[in-house]
Amino acid sequence: DGVITALFLAFYLGARPAALRHPPAPRPPHALPLTPGELRLRVAMVGFAVLFALAAVAYQMGPLLAATQAFFVELPFVTNSVVKVGGLALVCWYVAHDIRRNMPLAGVVIAAHVVSALALLVLLWLGQTDVAVRIGGQETALRSVMRGALLLDGAIALVLFALYQGAWASRFQPRFLEPTEYRALIALAGVVLKGRDPKLSAYDIAANADRYLSPTSIGT
């Protein structure tokens, strides 16, 4: 962990002066005000940032409390859990700080919970889960704990995905394209227009294409 931290710090310090010499990327259109979907996602990001930060504290305290020491016996995995939820808390807070610019990073939080749910499914299928663990002085089946974790991770992923897609749809208000398709078209148009002085922006091109493909436009 120390070596990885030192490497990241070295790369960061090396890249920071160059980044400061260049102006930030332009903001997407409709910077103000935030749409209702973006506001909902921002509130959710703040809420999950707080919950993940509290979870990091709970993971850290688990091995230190007598009632939960028997469950938190694998200390390396405890530290990894602290890093995981602590990192997710930082990402959520970063997204909420500037939802308009940083919203794509919410996909990282969603993907992390999808990966966690898939890993739990594999362990429930192939792992040795028919053992009992002691939590708070009571024995509980490990399989039940893992099922609860699977439901929790799956629910978080689904809720965030719905809010995430809703925020993109609220921002662009597409008529035909799905939010992901709309964003892909913006990115493609941006690559084609890079280095030129176009009359239309990448956002305008995506909006025009979406409007042209809409059923209303085709019917007329």
Side-chain angles (χ1 to χ4, degrees), residues 6 26 32-33 38 45 48 53 78 80 83 101 110 118 129-131 140 148-149 158 161-162 171 173 192 194 203 218:
L32 290 175
E38 290 172 322
M45 287 289 103
F48 278 113
V78 171
N80 288 340
V83 171
R101 184 186 297 278
I110 299 171
L118 291 176
T129 61
D130 56 347
V131 295
T140 304
L158 289 174
F161 181 75
R171 176 187 296 185
Q173 298 183 357
V192 174
K194 187 174 182 181
Y203 297 96
I218 294 176

Side-chain angles (χ1 to χ4, degrees), residues 71-201:
F71 184 70
F72 291 86
V73 293
E74 300 290 347
L75 296 184
F77 292 103
V78 171
T79 59
N80 288 340
S81 296
V82 173
V83 171
K84 171 198 166 184
V85 293
L88 291 176
L90 292 173
V91 173
C92 287
W93 184 254
Y94 184 75
V95 172
H97 176 69
D98 190 344
I99 192 73
R100 181 55 56 83
R101 184 186 297 278
N102 301 329
M103 196 161 72
L105 285 177
V108 174
V109 182
I110 299 171
H113 285 86
V114 172
V115 171
S116 180
L118 291 176
L120 285 165
L121 281 174
V122 171
L123 291 177
L124 283 169
W125 181 31
L126 300 175
Q128 186 70 25
T129 61
D130 56 347
V131 295
V133 293
R134 183 171 293 275
I135 304 176
Q138 296 183 347
E139 287 193 350
T140 304
L142 179 59
R143 180 176 292 272
S144 298
V145 175
M146 294 179 66
R147 284 174 176 170
L150 174 61
L151 290 175
L152 179 61
D153 285 345
I156 292 175
L158 289 174
V159 169
L160 281 180
F161 181 75
L163 291 172
Y164 183 65
Q165 290 292 89
W168 285 116
S170 180
R171 176 187 296 185
F172 297 125
Q173 298 183 357
R175 302 181 183 182
F176 178 80
L177 299 173
E178 294 295 326
T180 302
E181 298 168 338
Y182 200 103
R183 293 168 55 206
L185 185 55
I186 291 174
L188 178 61
V191 172
V192 174
L193 297 175
K194 187 174 182 181
R196 304 180 183 182
D197 187 17
K199 295 181 180 179
L200 295 178
S201 69

